[in-house]
């Protein structure tokens, strides 16, 4: 189940218990996610496959996202729709995630261009991440063999 973690918003830490599980095809970005989730505990990145069928594309234009969600209440708590670099915050909101799940979405594609740039990750795979809402859509390939320790920098 989701665990508490710390997000940095405008350089300030914010504690969240996100209903979403975040993944990246970029090992460097996945390591950054693992560190944020683990805090001071040991963190490792493992290989996983995601069985998702209908992702909400948060990399799209605002109007396209609003159109996709027009018959939901997903944006009720978001009168100021987040700019692209902050759309990940929608996926930390249990009400937003519940509404989009009820609308049939099982995951979301998240823009990570600014985060990749801030972390100096030069990997095209780091430009997006995936948020999955149900742990049954995640299959860890081999939990005993981490791809890389997510060590502190």
């Amino acid at each position: 189940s989701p665990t508490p973690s710390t997000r940095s918003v405008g350089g300030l830490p914010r504690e969240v218990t996100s209903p979403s599980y975040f993944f990246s095809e970029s090992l460097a970005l996945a390591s950054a996610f693992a560190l944020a989730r683990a805090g001071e505990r040991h963190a490792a990145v493992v290989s996983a496959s995601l069985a998702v069928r209908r992702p909400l594309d948060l990399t799209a234009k605002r109007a396209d996202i609003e159109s996709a969600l027009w018959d939901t209440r997903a944006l009720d708590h978001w009168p100021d729709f987040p700019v692209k670099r902050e759309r990940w915050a929608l996926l930390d909101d249990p009400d937003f995630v519940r509404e989009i799940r009820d609308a049939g979405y099982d995951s979301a594609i998240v823009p990570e261009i600014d985060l990749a740039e801030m972390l100096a990750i030069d990997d095209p795979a780091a430009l997006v991440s995936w948020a999955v809402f149900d742990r049954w859509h995640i299959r860890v390939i081999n939990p005993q063999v981490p791809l890389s320790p997510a060590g502190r920098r």
Side-chain angles (χ1 to χ4, degrees), residues 82-99:
V83 295
K84 200 173 269 194
R85 71 178 171 271
E86 296 173 358
R87 290 183 185 164
W88 57 266
L90 294 166
L91 303 167
D92 281 344
D93 178 351
D95 294 328
F96 179 84
V97 171
R98 183 180 54 255
E99 287 291 328

Side-chain angles (χ1 to χ4, degrees), residues 22 32 36 38 44 49-50 67 93 100 112 115 118 122-123 145 147:
F22 290 89
S49 65
L50 307 178
S67 177
D93 178 351
I100 64 173
E112 300 290 3
L115 179 59
M118 181 183 78
D122 187 24
D123 176 359
V145 183
L147 292 177

